[in-house]
Amino acid sequence: MLLQILLGFLCGMTALAAENGTAQQGPPLLLVSFDGFRADYLRRFPMPNLKLLYSQGVLVEQLTNVFITKTFPNHYSLVTGLYAESHGILASNMYDPTSHKHFHVTNDTDPMWWNEARPLWITALDSGYKTAAMMWPGSDVVIGNRTATHFFPYNPSVTFQQRLGNVTNWILGNEKEQGVMFAALYWEEPDRSGHIFGPDNDTAMGKALKEVDDNIGLLMSELKRTGLWGRINVLITSDHGMAQCSAERLIRLDDCLHPDNYTLVDLTPVAALIPLKDAEAVFSLLNKCHPHMTAYLKKAIPDRLHYRNNERIQPIILIADEGWTIVQRGDKLPRLGDHGYDNSLPSMHPFLAAMGPSFHRGYRISSLQSVDIYPLMCHMLSVPPQPNNGTFNHARCLLAAETCWDVPLVVGLVVGVLLVLTTITVLFRLFGHRRPSSPRPFQRLQVDDDDDDDPLLE
């Protein structure tokens, strides 16, 4: 009986998993990033338009993003589902020891840097979709000899309204060209204001976030004006948060090590160094440099950071504590706000809000991994995902048509419980057969003299 129950349950769960694992082509999908939108800005500042949007959809209060918590690594993680060590965009400044090339955010269009991964705007082309990317990091690069169907090179002078207008036109399509099924849209704020004023400046950040919220209101209005509202899925998120810095919290490398001993690849708050002399000796000096900075040899970078298995990661990295700034010398603080710190810090976490016909209404969860957004988007578009570090099961709760069960976990638990019950049942039966019968108390039999021919019955 237990075996029949187990087999029936497993068959049902397998069918359910197969049904949920096969999505049908759904509505178009728009991914919007507001750079540097720290998760707790949602609690600290009034955001009426954003709150109206996620009240009709879903909210993930905090996303755990990837290390390092910089713009380029995290934007590429959002559209690939990969940790930085896997997709190869490791920082704002990089050095490749094979090609001897240098990468900077102002010199970023060499395909070599980006070809270790395929973003969604490329892989969706293989499913027959048109795609678009509006100034998303990497979107103007030829990746695997292809680009999105539509893209614009980065230009900060183009307004949000102009960017949005192009995106909605691409989604709508026209008589000559089919509309795009996936589009990505990037905006610089509140990151720019966070760097200038610091996240603790409520006045300045309040002004910046009002502009962001106005842009979200503009997005909602444009979708309604064009008839896309209710027929498109929209994800609004960010790449990282922001920490308050101070001139009182500077770490000077020259206090510990002469610059002739190393080549500096990236500086703060995660410094990347190439030692020019004995690496262990250089590391020893840096390891004792400052109580608010941790030095790592590449081989010893913690597993949880997923920041070790790529040749572009330099032999020594230095990680400043939250709010501390690494400089080579002097007393000048480069920015009042910064990011790039350990991705376990809440100040580095962004958020996710989403709405549309595929999402629950009024649903909220506390946390999610940012790499889980990629398999979620692939599922919604019925696009076979590239190998990635995310898990769709973690994000499926956001979708109205999905169960929140983690099928393998549930099956494992049920199998375990049934095995325990079966074992207990077998043991009871086994010991029950072996137990000797206890002697019956003496009882005199009453015999009826008139029924001598009847057998004696107990």
Side-chain angles (χ1 to χ4, degrees), residues 40 67 105 133 139 144 150 162 165 176 190 218 283 303 340 354 365 402:
D40 69 355
F67 183 81
V105 292
S139 60
H150 306 281
Q162 291 170 328
K176 297 180 179 179
L218 182 64
F283 171 76
D303 291 341
I365 61 174
E402 292 295 325

Side-chain angles (χ1 to χ4, degrees), residues 80-103:
T80 63
L82 294 169
Y83 300 126
E85 68 175 4
S86 299
H87 62 55
I89 303 300
L90 297 156
S92 302
N93 301 290
M94 295 184 285
Y95 170 72
D96 184 80
T98 301
S99 65
H100 304 293
K101 292 181 179 180
H102 291 268
F103 175 98

Side-chain angles (χ1 to χ4, degrees), residues 108-116 141-145 312:
D108 62 354
T109 57
D110 187 337
M112 181 209 75
W113 299 102
W114 304 87
N115 274 332
E116 292 185 15
V141 181
V142 178
I143 300 171
N145 296 318
R312 297 172 190 167

Side-chain angles (χ1 to χ4, degrees), residues 117-171:
R118 295 290 180 270
L120 185 52
W121 64 73
I122 298 295
T123 55
L125 297 174
D126 295 329
S127 295
Y129 295 148
K130 305 287 187 180
T131 63
M134 174 56 75
M135 303 189 193
W136 195 277
S139 60
D140 58 341
V141 181
V142 178
I143 300 171
N145 296 318
R146 293 187 292 177
T147 65
T149 312
H150 306 281
F151 68 92
F152 268 23
Y154 180 68
N155 183 351
S157 65
V158 178
T159 67
F160 184 85
Q161 185 172 9
Q162 291 170 328
R163 299 182 197 190
L164 177 62
N166 279 282
V167 168
T168 51
N169 286 336
W170 292 334
I171 293 171

